[in-house]
Amino acid sequence: METEKLFYADPFLTEFDARVLACEEEKGGYAVVLDRTAFYPEGGGQPYDTGVLGGVEVSEVHEKAGVVTHKCAAPLPVGETVHGKLDWARRFDHMQQHSGEHICSGLICARYGCDNVGFHMGAESVTIDFNADIPWEELLELEAAANRYIYEDHAIDIQLHRGAELDAIDYRSKKALEGDVRIVTFPEADCCACCGTHVARSGQVGIVKFLSVQKFREGVRIELLCGGRAYRYLSACWAQDVAAAQALSVKPTAAAAAVERLQGELSALKLRCAKLEESVFAGVAARYAGSGDVLLFEDEMSGDSVRRLCDAVAETCGGRCAVFAGAGSAWKYAIGQRGGDLRGLTKELNAALSGRGGGKPEFVQGSVGAERGAIESFFAEK
Ligand SMILES: [Zn+2]
């Protein structure tokens, strides 16, 4: 006997009573079948409901041949009446995402004459796939249209149709359908065959926000959020923006421009710093000219600066130049020797001082995990 689906008669039903028709032990719990249920089973891209049935947790709900099975944490008495209660926050979230998806798909498919070829409602984000290439700027226009449709608060119509009556309706569907087909209509936005649960009015979707678009198969995949999810996501982004703006001493709406300015300043400073380093390194190179093997310790520097300093001194010292930059027991190094072969030394160095790195015979670079004293002792013997 097929389960009576209370979620179709009233998608806002959160509690109900039903009789237990069957209860069988299965992997990880008990499979419970009722005469009627408000628990939506997985289907049409919409995840299943969870909640409590007869005082025990319902962790999964599936449907097979019209029979809905509830995976329960403990057995329920067959023949008895039990009370069921949905995790309504979860279900309403699914309804907001699902209805929002229909509105967006309807508007997008009508504009581009394309099809929705995939819909996934994950725990975090929702994705829709279309078999058309749609640029981001145009998607933002459609996002605005979808939000307008949401706050125009249209009533949603859901009817069962079959046969010639069904043939007369222009609806979206992923496959050819027979028998009674449930047609979900968002007037002037979408008409689609669907087995999911929906809000009653478009206003209940609240808001829709597109997050990204990427190429997918022959078209695009759009990531979006609706309702409470969109609100929470945008609130988190807003908090980030406010914190960034405060750090930059600008208004939240000017944060991006301020970051761009900061990046410009940083690039200019890096350039200036590199120029100053050049003259400092040239001075060091002049000081060590002709002094043979040299071992230098410097404050933390970029790997590139270590390389350039070493190169400059190796050019003039006439021996082997080793530069270590860092502090404590973490140092970057560069060693250079004109016409030398440093590979053997580097191997020993890495082995003795917990280091890593290498390079060409005349020039090597890497890092060591040892104190300055240990580095000095190593070179004293070389
Ligand atoms: Zn649907």
Side-chain angles (χ1 to χ4, degrees):
M1 195 181 83
E2 288 201 7
T3 312
E4 186 187 345
K5 292 162 179 170
L6 302 172
F7 47 81
Y8 282 151
D10 180 7
F12 284 83
L13 186 68
T14 61
E15 296 189 39
F16 66 103
D17 290 314
R19 209 155 58 83
V20 179
L21 299 184
C23 177
E24 281 169 23
E25 193 166 359
E26 61 172 9
K27 199 169 171 239
Y30 295 83
V32 172
V33 175
L34 307 170
D35 61 343
R36 49 191 230 145
T37 188
F39 282 92
Y40 180 75
E42 202 168 24
Q46 184 178 331
Y48 49 73
D49 291 337
T50 58
V52 176
L53 193 56
V56 306
E57 188 202 336
V58 176
S59 59
E60 285 179 34
V61 184
H62 299 282
E63 178 183 0
K64 206 171 167 186
V67 177
V68 177
T69 305
H70 310 72
K71 189 183 195 110
C72 294
L76 294 177
V78 175
E80 300 280 302
T81 295
V82 289
H83 187 71
K85 189 173 182 203
L86 307 193
D87 175 343
W88 179 245
R90 174 180 163 93
R91 156 67 90 71
F92 187 63
D93 167 58
H94 293 162
M95 283 160 56
Q96 285 189 313
Q97 310 310 317
H98 200 156
S99 295
E101 179 262 326
H102 274 236
I103 293 167
C104 295
S105 288
L107 293 174
I108 289 171
C109 292
R111 170 135 168 209
Y112 294 96
C114 62
D115 305 304
N116 168 330
V117 291
F119 168 45
H120 178 70
M121 199 190 295
E124 298 286 320
S125 74
V126 178
T127 59
I128 321 176
D129 305 331
F130 296 98
N131 55 359
D133 196 9
I134 313 171
W136 180 244
E137 300 70 37
E138 293 182 22
L139 279 173
L140 291 179
E141 288 171 26
L142 285 152
E143 179 196 77
N147 278 296
R148 232 168 10 247
Y149 187 85
I150 287 168
Y151 52 70
E152 280 166 6
D153 201 24
H154 298 264
I156 292 161
D157 181 57
I158 301 178
Q159 307 277 350
L160 289 177
H161 295 282
R162 61 156 61 209
E165 198 183 64
L166 183 64
D167 296 340
I169 304 171
D170 182 19
Y171 64 95
R172 293 192 296 114
S173 174
K174 287 196 188 66
K175 53 192 174 199
L177 299 163
E178 286 172 16
D180 280 337
V181 175
R182 199 162 165 269
I183 299 293
V184 177
T185 306
F186 289 77
E188 296 160 50
D190 188 42
C191 183
C192 185
C194 178
C195 59
T197 57
H198 288 274
V199 296
R201 305 186 64 88
S202 66
Q204 290 164 329
V205 173
I207 182 174
V208 56
K209 183 79 197 97
F210 292 172
L211 303 188
S212 68
V213 64
Q214 61 184 71
K215 294 239 176 291
F216 184 75
R217 299 217 173 110
E218 75 275 39
V220 292
R221 165 168 287 182
I222 297 169
E223 188 188 6
L224 71 160
L225 296 177
C226 301
R229 282 193 198 197
Y231 168 71
R232 287 188 294 277
Y233 177 81
L234 292 173
S235 293
C237 289
W238 174 84
Q240 288 278 320
D241 184 37
V242 166
Q246 261 166 8
L248 296 162
S249 303
V250 295
K251 287 183 180 149
T253 47
V259 167
E260 214 171 295
R261 216 162 41 238
L262 207 61
Q263 281 173 328
E265 285 169 18
L266 189 63
S267 302
L269 281 173
K270 277 184 178 166
L271 206 65
R272 171 98 182 111
C273 187
K275 277 188 181 158
L276 288 171
E277 276 185 345
E278 282 308 320
S279 67
V280 170
F281 294 169
V284 177
R287 198 177 334 136
Y288 287 100
S291 43
D293 290 349
V294 176
L295 175 59
L296 299 175
F297 288 91
E298 298 286 334
D299 289 339
E300 184 64 51
M301 291 197 292
S302 72
D304 186 57
S305 298
V306 177
R307 179 186 63 75
R308 287 188 289 117
L309 173 58
C310 178
D311 207 37
V313 177
E315 185 68 40
T316 62
C317 71
R320 179 190 63 214
C321 172
V323 177
F324 284 78
S329 59
W331 300 82
K332 290 191 192 92
Y333 71 76
I335 309 170
Q337 185 170 19
R338 296 293 182 263
D341 186 349
L342 301 163
R343 288 175 294 189
L345 174 90
T346 311
K347 223 174 202 177
E348 280 181 57
L349 173 82
N350 289 337
L353 304 174
S354 310
R356 54 195 296 180
K360 295 180 197 148
E362 288 191 10
F363 197 90
V364 295
Q365 253 190 301
S367 60
V368 294
E371 300 286 335
R372 176 173 175 157
I375 300 169
E376 284 170 336
S377 309
F378 177 85
F379 279 94
E381 294 162 15
K382 296 294 158 192

